[in-house]
Amino acid sequence: MAELTYNEKRLMVVLNTVKEATPEVIAGELNTTAEAVVQFAHLCAEKGIATLDRTITVSYSLTTEGQQYAALGLPERQVYASFRHEISMKDMQAHPLARIAIGWMKKKGWVTIEKGQVIKTGEAPEGTDEAALRDPAASREGVLELVKRGLAEETETISYMVSITETGKALVEAGLDLREETGTLTREQILSGDWKSLNLRRYSVDKLPRRIIPGKIHPYQRLINEMRSVLLEMGFTEMYGGVVQSSFWNFDALFQPQDHPAREMQDTFFLDGTTPLPKNWEAVRDVHEFGGATSSAGWGGTWDPAKAQTNVLRTHTTGLSIQYLKDHPADPVKAFCIGRVYRREAIDPTHTPEFEQLEGIVMDDGVSFRHLMGFLKEFYGRMGFENVRFRPAYFPYTEPSVEPEVYVDGLGWVELGGAGIFREEVTDPWGVKYPVLAWGLGVSRVAMLKMGLRDLRQLYRSDVDWIRDTPMMQGGRD
Amino acid sequence: MPIIRLPYEYLETLTGTDRETIINRVPMIGADIERIEEDHIDVEFFPDRPDLFSTEGVARAMQGFLGLKEGINEYPVTPSGITFRVDPGLAEIRPFLGSAVIRNVSLTEEAIESLMGLQEALHWAVGRGRGKVAIGVHDLDTVTPPFYYQAAPRDRAFVPLDFDEEMTMEEILDRHPKGVDYAHLVRDYERFPLITDAEDNVLSFPPIINGERTKVTTATKNILLDCTGTDMKAVMTAVNNICTALADAGATIESVEVDGAPMPSLTPSVRTVSVDECCRLLGISLTAEEMAAHLRTMRFGAEPEGEEEVRVTVPCYRADIMHDWDIFEDVAISYGFENFDAALPESFTTGKPHPVMVLLDGVREILAGLGFLEMMPFTLTNERVLYTAMQRDVNPGVLRLQRPISEEQTIMRTDILPMLVETLQINHHRELPQRLFAIGDCVEEKETFQKVAAVSIHTEADFSEIYACADALMREMHIAYEVDESDDPAFIPGRRADIMVNGKKAGVFGELTPDAIRAFELDAPVCAMEFDLRCVQGRPCL
């Protein structure tokens, strides 16, 4: 049985003495109101330790008008008494109650009306209504008549009788803790230690609490931060850079030929304005035209500096990598970046014109293609993709190139990015000493896999309820 | 990327092996199988390998990869005695011409289809949509050499392919489907490129359409090839790939003299590469002989030159080989990517987050602690959201896209707050209160910088609430600030304030004006703030 409150216990103690009583009586004992006693008794009744019987009593009383007539008689009796055997209608109407009375006198058969004369029939016995007027309890028929005439009114009285059950008796006889209950603890009670002797109100654990909505970091940002942590743990330095880049850094420095389709309007967001070429741009021109100082033949043709100066919204963050290498040509470098990139794509469930890209570069004495595979396996493994395989690929600025694929239950082998070793045509103009391992990963694609999303747009045009309902951590709760 | 249709029967004939072996192994030479059909497979190849754009080319590569045939194929070329003249008037239009005579072809319907497929893929990958290179294949026996590639008047008429009436070249641009598709390549020139024979018969109007007269059919025995374009190297890549594909199918190649220069040569080029450099790049250990053997399976000619070097003969069709590492990649493919021992290097480095990211992470923590939910809206938006609906004037420094893809995304955001109010609009039907924040890059002129914004919408959202949040943010960021009355029209007069740092406006907060609230189709009070993180002292620079 659920715990009894203090008030319920007090009620039971009184009941055990009186066995049965009205709330009013019990209220006197408990020094509370009858309403409160009914409430406590109701709770005790739910627990089967008391019963609460409800009786509805109907009583009648005279209205103000009825009380006037109780003293003077009903209007028809007063008018009837005001003349002898016969009176003209005209004379009778002088009486103030005539309008009400005429109808009733006729209906009760006290008078007849002939040729404008009201004539008594001789019989005018007292009716049940008149008896009820003297005493509403005297005649039910009469009182209902008075209610119809608005001379009496009906009142419903609900009365309760509270009694103790056998279970209740046993409970009380087993003894009850009658100390008063405490809701909120006071400073004094805590400091003095008095709280130990208090009867603290107990709360029901069956009742759900109200829902609090916490402030939270976006689930996608948390995934990005998880990836950042993985790379930082692996000893990578983070890069950050501007969203607006010159075509030189976005394309030319990455040995993308100037007539490459990706450089055309349909794939890239071009911007107004230009950016001057950096120092040593001639070396980039040379690798394009004839391979510069490398074993490359270059793309041939003429490289146009004006084309390299046009501004674009970066189509990848790889332009930041090459700028980072330019500034650190000789040291071992392990660097990464997760940043937003822009492609001229129409929005649909799997394409957005902006999305995040993750990339990493490793430059060190003696690093090789084998190590690139090692880094990819390690990184994907730490991201939770244990099974990784590699396939030949083609990317314009890496050689050799590789397409890592991860195994995802239910989907099979999924391509998550591209990788390779930066071509010498990319690194040589900046005096970079060692091979540069590089990889890029579509972060939003990983997000779709990890969060089970079907529509990429959800990441950027967020439904507030989705974020509210997405737990911070993926614990053991389904 | 080009998708090549490989008919099994033809492929089996050329390769000498069965279809299952081919289907199983084709992905490991760098290709994706698009679909497997009853009588053929469609395979997607990388754009740098035009030699794989024909059934013949794939068969050649597979023979090596499957160990059926090794080393380089020989492609002898004998002179045809046919000459070609190029009009100097084409110098500014479409100057380069590559040509060849291909004899003794036996063209089945399938072989013609394969040839057309190769042509189409070359047009895409090498020709860049016919601008850089366009290819014409003609029945040589319908015309009379010598040939003339000229800049002709636009009203010169001939019967174009698949038509039966003469049209002028101008009419072709307007009425012929290919003319309509490629008109943009020649429309602006006064004269158009045209190829004619000794009797002034028209072979081709490059890069638009061939003449009906020289149409290649199953009866064709001898072919004249013309490739025109704006880049000689790309033109010859196309010529070499078509000649070698047809030679592999049994044809013989003869050269043509273009202004006195014989072409094609189809002779391989030679590169001597370092065994050590290859092994270091790939992280494997091979002898010169092993390396040469791998290259022969990739259909190079390869012989060790001592222990340190390998002499590699590169087939004329391998347009992708421009650097020694391109050869090393083929060694890796032959070695098998699955056979590499993936490992981490031993050198030690420490990781370090970028200071901008550290700052952003800190601000995120503060706002989440204040009970705000993070949003990550797009950075591309439009003037209505960014300025008009916010009751603000357009920032003159806003960056516009030259050719936006939709009316929704025309400019780069200079502020974040409008994106959050738009997010409230998207979430109009969700339970209140909603308290949201966003942080990240904004751009003005060319500069990228970071801002943070927060909004709160509910029946009692007011100035005091957002002032308290702004104050908490500034305290937690440890920034001394003052407030001034603001005149920002996004907010209600008397219920708005500027955040001043070092006497300079750094942010704003207040109650959003009902005009803005209504413009975003909202109906409850909104209080909001925005802060420019450039005003953080000692702000990390990009």
Side-chain angles (χ1 to χ4, degrees), chain A residues 289-305:
Chain A
E289 290 188 350
F290 58 86
T294 72
S295 69
S296 177
W299 295 114
T302 308
W303 185 84
D304 179 6

Side-chain angles (χ1 to χ4, degrees), chain B residues 228-241:
Chain B
T228 61
T230 54
D231 178 315
M232 194 57 193
K233 200 169 145 188
V235 164
M236 288 321 291
T237 297
V239 171
N240 292 348
N241 271 288

Side-chain angles (χ1 to χ4, degrees), chain B residues 211-258:
Chain B
E212 176 69 14
R213 180 188 186 93
T214 58
K215 185 175 182 171
V216 169
T217 67
T218 48
T220 301
K221 290 282 159 262
N222 303 300
I223 286 175
L224 175 75
L225 173 67
D226 82 75
C227 293
T228 61
T230 54
D231 178 315
M232 194 57 193
K233 200 169 145 188
V235 164
M236 288 321 291
T237 297
V239 171
N240 292 348
N241 271 288
I242 290 175
C243 288
T244 51
L246 289 172
D248 279 345
T252 52
I253 310 298
E254 292 181 6
S255 61
V256 174
E257 278 192 18
V258 176

Side-chain angles (χ1 to χ4, degrees), chain A residues 216 238 240 243 259 265 296-297 342 344 354 364 369-370 391 399 401 423-424 463-464 468, chain B residues 32 128 132 281 322-323 326 329 341 347 352 354 361 374 379-380 403 427 430 433 441 448 542:
Chain A
K216 279 198 255 189
E238 186 168 31
Y240 195 95
V243 168
D259 65 358
M265 286 290 201
S296 177
Y342 299 82
R344 215 169 160 274
E354 43 182 305
D364 200 356
F369 197 50
R370 180 165 87 96
R391 291 209 304 131
E399 190 77 18
S401 301
R423 298 187 70 97
E424 209 185 352
D463 179 346
V464 162
R468 285 174 172 169
Chain B
D32 282 320
R128 301 268 191 264
K132 213 170 166 185
L281 186 74
M322 58 167 78
H323 185 279
D326 295 309
E329 181 179 65
D341 176 22
S347 73
K352 193 177 151 219
H354 195 278
D361 279 348
E374 185 179 20
T379 57
L380 293 174
R403 276 183 56 205
N427 286 283
R430 297 303 186 196
D441 289 343
T448 301
L542 290 185

Side-chain angles (χ1 to χ4, degrees), chain A residues 368-380 388-392 401-402 404 419 437 439, chain B residues 282 332 335-344:
Chain A
S368 68
F369 197 50
R370 180 165 87 96
H371 297 123
L372 175 64
M373 292 179 171
F375 271 110
L376 292 167
K377 271 199 164 169
E378 179 73 20
F379 174 69
Y380 284 126
V388 185
R389 75 171 184 186
F390 301 103
R391 291 209 304 131
S401 301
V402 57
L437 317 179
W439 68 88
Chain B
L282 300 181
Y335 186 84
F337 280 17
E338 68 277 18
N339 297 322
F340 276 81
D341 176 22
L344 291 173

